[in-house]
Amino acid sequence: MSELSEIRKPVKKEMAEFEAYFGRTMKSEIPLLKIIINYIFRRKGKQMRPLLVFLSAALNGKIGEPTYVAATFIELLHTASLVHDDVVDDADERRGALSINALWNSKIAVLVGDYMLSRGLLISIEKNRFDMLEIVSEAVKLMSEGELLQLQKARKLNLKEDDYFRIITRKTAALIAACTACGAKSVTEDADTIQQMKDFGENIGIAFQIRDDLLDYEGNGLTGKTYGNDIKEKKITLPLIYALEQSSDMKRKQMLATVRKKKKTRDEITGVIRFVSENGGMEYAEMKMNQYRDKALAILDIYPDSDVKESLRKLVLYTTTRDK
């Protein structure tokens, strides 16, 4: 049994029911939209975000319809953000399959993303969950800010560690924090509990993104993205930021000149990876990742032992040890 199957066990029934519930919300009379939605639905990923919603709800109370509403809302938002991200990044692939903009075009992809976003908003209004609408709208705002901040900094390649954390807290962690906050909100009105679960999700999200950035430097052939892809795309992440700060002015300028180049050879990309490794960039990023992992685990320690708590603990560890 895979690691994620083991983690899903306490909410396996609810996750299966969620798939049907989600499918019903995605029905459309527009033929083109039906085809695209079917395509998206068939190639769904690990569904970690709905899983986090259900586990966070189960940790704090009894799962009911509000939890399904929260998971659907989050999954629609997440899928919309991926469709839009592929347009922003001009990406032809997503999870090893062709992206919506590659199969159809950018105009259609943007409209499909908009449709999913609006479906999520409508569901929260139909079910009278303005509280969740507030949590998720805040996440959308932060995600957009994070993307724009990254684009602004990427132009000058002058990213510092503080900038990096500001970007990933918005771009990645905001949505994961919304998952855990909405999961809690679906079963309790206690503001402290909801805030605690939001903090829990934010720490997982930051650790998750650092792990993602480390995978780009590890090149074990198993990762979901191409080895050295961030360097190829001029993305400066924590391992490189730290390595640049440890090096001389001359070496820093030399490395940045390589990263800045539009077309880089495989040897040049390998050279940057070697530079990061030799200057302790990967060890430093791993140390920072583990700090956030431990903050998330410390929040879990407040709760009594249960299958759900154990699943969440395993999910936190999976986030920081996964190889794709």
Side-chain angles (χ1 to χ4, degrees):
M1 186 181 281
S2 76
E3 227 172 324
L4 275 174
S5 303
E6 191 66 36
I7 290 164
R8 278 194 192 98
K9 261 186 174 174
V11 289
K12 191 179 172 187
K13 181 172 76 75
E14 289 84 355
M15 285 292 287
E17 284 170 5
F18 161 71
E19 284 209 27
Y21 188 95
F22 186 72
R24 286 196 298 274
T25 67
M26 292 295 284
K27 287 203 167 21
S28 170
E29 295 309 308
I30 310 298
L32 178 60
L33 200 51
K34 271 167 123 167
I35 293 163
I36 297 171
I37 286 167
N38 191 36
Y39 179 72
I40 291 169
F41 202 60
R42 281 204 328 270
R43 53 189 260 279
K44 62 184 183 294
K46 301 178 188 126
Q47 290 195 302
M48 272 179 72
R49 285 153 192 84
L51 178 59
L52 266 170
V53 173
F54 281 105
L55 288 172
S56 301
L59 187 71
N60 291 285
K62 188 168 167 41
I63 291 172
E65 201 199 2
T67 314
Y68 289 88
V69 173
T72 302
F73 194 5
I74 293 282
E75 188 69 347
L76 281 166
L77 164 64
H78 175 55
T79 310
S81 73
L82 294 182
V83 172
H84 282 164
D85 276 355
D86 288 342
V87 176
V88 170
D89 298 339
D90 202 15
D92 290 336
E93 277 195 12
R94 165 72 60 184
R95 295 175 186 142
L98 286 168
S99 62
I100 304 302
N101 46 305
L103 271 176
W104 286 275
N105 59 43
S106 293
K107 191 184 280 187
I108 288 171
V110 169
L111 291 168
V112 168
D114 290 348
Y115 172 79
M116 292 185 147
L117 202 49
S118 62
R119 279 301 294 129
L121 299 173
L122 282 168
I123 285 161
S124 64
I125 292 163
E126 281 162 17
K127 302 293 181 182
N128 215 17
R129 296 307 309 215
F130 297 98
D131 47 1
M132 290 177 190
L133 182 56
E134 187 181 356
I135 292 168
V136 177
S137 297
E138 175 66 16
V140 175
K141 177 181 87 80
L142 291 170
M143 286 159 73
S144 305
E145 285 177 354
E147 276 288 356
L148 288 165
L149 184 58
Q150 185 174 48
L151 288 167
Q152 179 197 341
K153 291 286 175 184
R155 281 180 182 170
K156 294 180 182 173
L157 293 185
N158 62 346
L159 208 64
K160 298 282 180 275
E161 189 173 320
D162 283 356
D163 298 321
Y164 171 81
F165 279 105
R166 277 173 70 206
I167 289 166
I168 70 166
T169 301
R170 286 164 170 76
K171 246 189 89 170
T172 307
L175 183 58
I176 302 216
C179 293
T180 50
C182 281
K185 186 80 186 172
S186 73
V187 295
T188 180
E189 288 299 318
D190 185 68
D192 290 343
T193 301
I194 293 159
Q195 185 57 52
Q196 192 170 273
M197 288 309 291
K198 189 177 182 182
D199 294 343
F200 173 67
E202 186 175 283
N203 285 311
I204 296 175
I206 293 170
F208 178 93
Q209 187 58 55
I210 298 173
R211 180 67 193 139
D212 214 48
D213 295 338
L214 273 165
L215 285 171
D216 202 63
Y217 285 88
E218 289 177 3
N220 53 18
L222 298 169
T223 62
K225 58 183 185 178
T226 316
Y227 175 49
N229 210 39
D230 287 348
I231 301 159
K232 200 169 150 193
E233 292 175 4
K234 305 185 199 176
K235 278 186 190 165
I236 297 188
T237 59
L238 190 58
L240 181 55
I241 290 167
Y242 181 80
L244 289 168
E245 282 171 0
Q246 304 312 302
S247 59
S248 65
D249 275 357
M250 196 174 86
K251 191 69 180 168
R252 189 182 303 122
K253 281 175 185 161
Q254 185 192 332
M255 282 298 129
L256 284 172
T258 303
V259 174
R260 198 173 272 118
K261 282 173 79 171
K262 243 187 176 167
K263 285 213 161 95
K264 293 177 267 288
T265 65
R266 176 44 63 187
D267 283 351
E268 284 172 328
I269 290 170
T270 306
V272 176
I273 290 168
R274 194 183 308 116
F275 162 77
V276 167
S277 183
E278 286 168 0
N279 284 276
M282 284 152 82
E283 287 93 332
Y284 180 77
E286 196 162 328
M287 182 265 290
K288 294 299 276 186
M289 174 187 75
N290 290 338
Q291 283 177 4
Y292 286 97
R293 175 201 66 192
D294 293 346
K295 281 185 193 175
L297 292 173
I299 292 168
L300 272 185
D301 283 344
I302 299 162
Y303 288 88
D305 288 346
S306 68
D307 288 351
V308 173
K309 176 184 169 179
E310 183 56 20
S311 273
L312 279 166
R313 192 187 69 80
K314 283 179 180 167
L315 187 57
V316 173
L317 297 175
Y318 169 79
T319 294
T320 51
T321 54
R322 66 200 166 89
D323 54 22
K324 54 183 165 179

